[in-house]
Amino acid sequence: GAGVSQSPRYKVAKRGQDVALRCDPISGHVSLFWYQQALGQGPEFLTYFQNEAQLDKSGLPSDRFFAERPEGSVSTLKIQRTQQEDSAVYLCASSLSTKNYGYTFGSGTRLTVV
Amino acid sequence: GESVGLHLPTLSVQEGDNSIINCAYSNSASDYFIWYKQESGKGPQFIIDIRSNMDKRQGQRVTVLLNKTVKHLSLQIAATQPGDSAVYFCAENSNYQLIWGAGTKLIIKP
């Protein structure tokens, strides 16, 4: 497609439930990033892929968070045993190059844990 | 640690006037800066960028100024329109990550 597509747009999860958030980057984009954005704040880095390789996962808040990009295109961010503090917008961005110049962001998935 | 921050959380501007949004950064080694616009319910949208070897860059109705001496960025929007209402973020390149400030909400008064 023309842009970065994320699904679902909204997700309400009960505390303790597992969720999976999907990102379809722009075709051919090598780099893929996940960010977490709390209300009124700037995005915070979670993890970075270059093709299928996860080169940095230092921003993942806990071992309940897991991301994958098995074929170097679509990526999934999985959160196990969701907690209320996980409530946020999860943004995916992709970039044609291996540097982060020229990011394109998706519209995000708003996760609410109740 | 390294941080990028904004001076004002909210800016109200009369429609048709120019807007200036400011940002301070702390990492003097940063070489690339970006301004993003984020409308409600949408992801950040690229507005304009600037590299550290420049002090000014112009786009369509927008200008970014970089003052490396005081580690300060500004975004100028000319003839502000209702469609400019959004939260504006500056971001600083740190390796392959972007480090973001908290954002400035721009409100356009009719």
Side-chain angles (χ1 to χ4, degrees):
Chain A
V4 178
S5 178
Q6 291 188 246
S7 61
R9 286 283 283 122
Y10 303 93
K11 176 69 179 178
V12 178
K14 290 184 178 178
R15 190 167 54 181
Q17 184 180 351
D18 297 349
V19 298
L21 312 180
R22 178 186 169 105
C23 172
D24 280 271
I26 294 174
S27 179
H29 275 199
V30 170
S31 297
L32 185 144
F33 306 81
W34 284 97
Y35 282 82
Q36 180 189 59
Q37 186 174 26
L39 187 64
Q41 301 294 317
E44 300 241 348
F45 172 80
L46 293 177
T47 188
Y48 162 56
F49 289 87
Q50 189 177 115
N51 295 306
E52 69 279 2
Q54 188 176 21
L55 298 188
D56 189 343
K57 54 182 181 180
S58 64
L60 297 176
S62 75
D63 58 8
R64 296 187 295 104
F65 286 71
F66 172 77
E68 60 183 4
R69 193 186 185 197
E71 297 179 357
S73 55
V74 171
S75 177
T76 304
L77 176 67
K78 298 179 179 178
I79 308 174
Q80 297 177 320
R81 304 181 303 281
T82 52
Q83 304 294 316
Q84 283 190 318
E85 62 262 28
D86 300 335
S87 296
V89 175
Y90 291 86
L91 293 165
C92 177
S94 69
S95 173
L96 181 62
S97 73
T98 56
K99 294 186 182 295
N100 63 3
Y101 308 136
Y103 275 92
T104 300
F105 280 85
S107 293
T109 294
R110 179 176 294 280
L111 173 65
T112 303
V113 181
V114 297
Chain B
E2 299 159 1
S3 66
V4 177
L6 297 175
H7 294 305
L8 299 172
T10 302
L11 177 65
S12 293
V13 177
Q14 202 75 35
E15 182 179 349
D17 286 354
N18 297 336
S19 302
I20 299 176
I21 300 171
N22 296 302
C23 175
Y25 65 94
S26 59
N27 184 2
S28 57
S30 294
D31 63 354
Y32 181 62
F33 305 88
I34 314 171
W35 280 100
Y36 283 93
K37 172 186 180 183
Q38 188 171 26
E39 296 173 282
S40 180
K42 297 184 179 180
Q45 177 188 358
F46 173 92
I47 302 173
I48 192 167
D49 59 1
I50 189 167
R51 296 186 190 276
S52 59
N53 60 352
M54 305 171 70
D55 53 21
K56 180 179 180 179
R57 189 155 188 241
Q58 288 185 293
Q60 186 176 16
R61 279 202 310 120
V62 294
T63 300
V64 55
L65 299 178
L66 174 63
N67 185 331
K68 293 183 287 293
T69 302
V70 294
K71 291 185 284 188
H72 183 268
L73 272 170
S74 68
L75 176 70
Q76 300 177 1
I77 304 173
T80 311
Q81 303 169 357
D84 294 330
S85 292
V87 177
Y88 289 81
F89 294 95
C90 65
E92 169 187 13
N93 177 51
S94 177
N95 206 2
Y96 44 76
Q97 295 182 28
L98 289 179
I99 299 174
W100 303 65
T104 292
K105 184 173 184 178
L106 180 62
I107 297 170
I108 313 303
K109 297 182 287 187

